[in-house]
Amino acid sequence: MQDTLKPVLTDDSLFHDGNPASGTPGTVVSADWLNNAQAAIQSTQQEVLTVIKNNGQNADPTRKDQLLQAVQNIAWGSAQRPSTLAGYGIADGASKTDLKAAIDGVVAGAPGALNTLQELAAALGNDSNYAASVTKLLSGKADKASTLAGYGIVDAMKASDWGVQGYTTLQVGPGKAFASIQDAWNSLIGKVLQADVLIQVADGQYATSGIWLNNQPFASRIRIQGNTANPSACKIVLTPDANKLSNGVVFSRVSGVNFSGFHIVGEASANHWSYRCLRVEEAAVVYSDPGTIVLEGAAAGLEVDQNASGNFVKIRISGIKGWAASIIGGAHAILHNCAITGLGINVSTTTPAFVNPDMPSLMSSGLQCVEGSKAWLSVSSISNVFQGCVSASNSYLWADGTAVDQATNAFQAEWGGLIWNSGANPSPAVPNGRRGKASNADIGYLAGRGGTIYAYMATADNCNCGFYAVYSGAIYAANGWSRNSKKVGYCADGLAWLDASGTQAGSYGCTQLYDPAPNTPGNSGAYVYQKITP
């Protein structure tokens, strides 16, 4: 395109008409100026035609809008003005839709009351230094800690208030944390025991009218321990309450407690009546380390009752006015190698009226297993008692190798009760062998009223009657003996049955060995059987 056309050569660079009347000359246009004007016009036309043709149009003398259309196409891309960024070919700009989506993304998760800048500012208290204000407040907080005390909290429950997390020892005794077993036990009630707890009782004497150990679902984690090497060094002495009574140590509805290392001493007199020394009841399960429990002097020694279970191997019981051990009410007891010493065959104790005016006198006796119960009493000794071992009312007493000395009836089974008192020949397990034994008794083995005694290899020495089955009772007494029986060695009466096979060779000193004669019915349908060897 050419430069700007030069102006006409007049004083004011303007064209003027001439006036012949006044003699004013008109502007003279030179050929040079006109040629320049023509060239400028042609150059401009060429520029316009270039724009039109480059826009895809041919020059059309009839149209007056070709330049406009070319410019619109250049500016808008079409003859219509666009209404969007994309219409102008802008790809990196944000549209209203884009801006709305971005803003919605910021406020979409906010509640209605906090989805504008004004609402946010109000929520921050219109504090332009909000971050600094919060930092200042945080500087006053408690330091990070792992305990309540570390945070300065003194009135909240601690983990130790409701549970035991690690192995714990509760000391009982003078100057200790707890004055009594009862106090230590009660401190655990209501707590979750996640670890074992030892209630360690120091040597000494602890007077009490009764210790009640119950309400503890985690009892299997508790061990109550006195002096296991010398139980008599840690005595629980029963003393009378206001009613002259004491109840001993009672476990009720707790399972798996270990109770070891104690000598419990009671009394049964006109001034003080201890019902028992130790009782396990109501499905409780209690056990002791072997040889660590000693019971003495109460109306009853050990009671396991009401479907409870007690394991007291090598327990020692002496001086009890009534039954030294009672396994009753469907209970189960393990008392292997125990030792029971009574007050004498005919020693009785009158029950005071303040206990029960209708209760008969007590006779010092050994062990009774009744009311569908079970007791294991192997290789034990019972002496100086009115009754030795009694099993009745569909109960089972396993007493292999157990000996009873000085008793009215050493072993007695009746009313569906069963006593197993067999022996064993020498073997690696029993090097010297063993035999059940009744000695110095009125009747050594008595089975009556449907009772059964299995007394294989059992012996009766110095009894009035060694083996006596009566009233449909049954005794299996093969390969044992009866010696020095003052009346009869083996006797059956009243539809009873007695197996005395292999007993003649070892028996001697009896006024009469068999009644009735072997293999001959007699005494109201009774029968003494002897296996006949060809």
Side-chain angles (χ1 to χ4, degrees), residues 83-317:
S83 61
T84 64
L85 292 173
Y88 286 101
I90 299 173
D92 59 352
S95 67
K96 290 193 295 181
T97 301
D98 295 332
L99 290 173
K100 184 177 185 303
I103 294 172
D104 287 348
V106 172
V107 302
L114 290 173
N115 60 3
T116 68
L117 292 176
Q118 181 179 7
E119 290 169 343
L120 288 172
L124 297 177
N126 294 312
D127 186 354
S128 60
N129 296 313
Y130 180 75
S133 300
V134 171
T135 301
K136 181 178 179 181
L137 291 173
L138 290 175
S139 66
K141 75 174 183 62
D143 293 334
K144 182 179 180 180
S146 59
T147 63
L148 293 170
Y151 287 108
I153 299 172
V154 297
D155 60 348
M157 289 189 68
K158 302 182 291 295
S160 58
D161 292 333
W162 57 266
V164 174
Q165 286 75 45
Y167 183 85
T168 302
T169 299
L170 306 181
Q171 298 286 349
V172 175
K176 307 293 185 181
F178 298 95
S180 68
I181 294 173
Q182 188 75 69
D183 291 342
W185 179 275
N186 290 348
S187 73
L188 300 173
I189 292 176
K191 293 185 177 181
V192 176
L193 306 186
Q194 298 178 355
D196 292 344
V197 176
L198 171 63
I199 298 177
Q200 181 64 61
V201 184
D203 287 353
Q205 291 193 6
Y206 297 87
T208 179
S209 62
I211 300 174
W212 300 89
L213 305 175
N214 51 19
N215 297 322
Q216 181 49 264
F218 302 95
S220 61
R221 288 195 173 274
I222 300 175
R223 176 183 175 90
I224 306 172
Q225 179 174 291
N227 189 324
T228 55
N230 179 18
S232 293
C234 191
K235 286 187 176 180
I236 298 173
V237 180
L238 302 179
T239 55
D241 60 15
N243 297 315
K244 304 181 183 180
L245 302 172
S246 58
N247 288 283
V249 179
V250 180
F251 290 90
S252 180
R253 288 174 288 176
V254 291
S255 180
V257 184
N258 183 294
F259 181 73
S260 301
F262 297 98
H263 184 165
I264 304 175
V265 181
E267 181 180 339
S269 67
N271 297 315
H272 173 205
W273 192 263
S274 302
Y275 283 110
R276 85 280 297 169
C277 291
L278 175 62
R279 178 175 173 85
V280 184
E281 66 178 16
E282 294 185 310
V285 178
V286 181
Y287 67 100
S288 69
D289 295 349
T292 63
I293 296 296
V294 180
L295 309 179
E296 178 187 350
L302 170 67
E303 295 175 343
V304 185
D305 191 6
Q306 297 168 308
N307 298 305
S309 179
N311 186 331
F312 303 101
V313 173
K314 293 186 178 180
I315 189 172
R316 289 172 284 164
I317 307 174

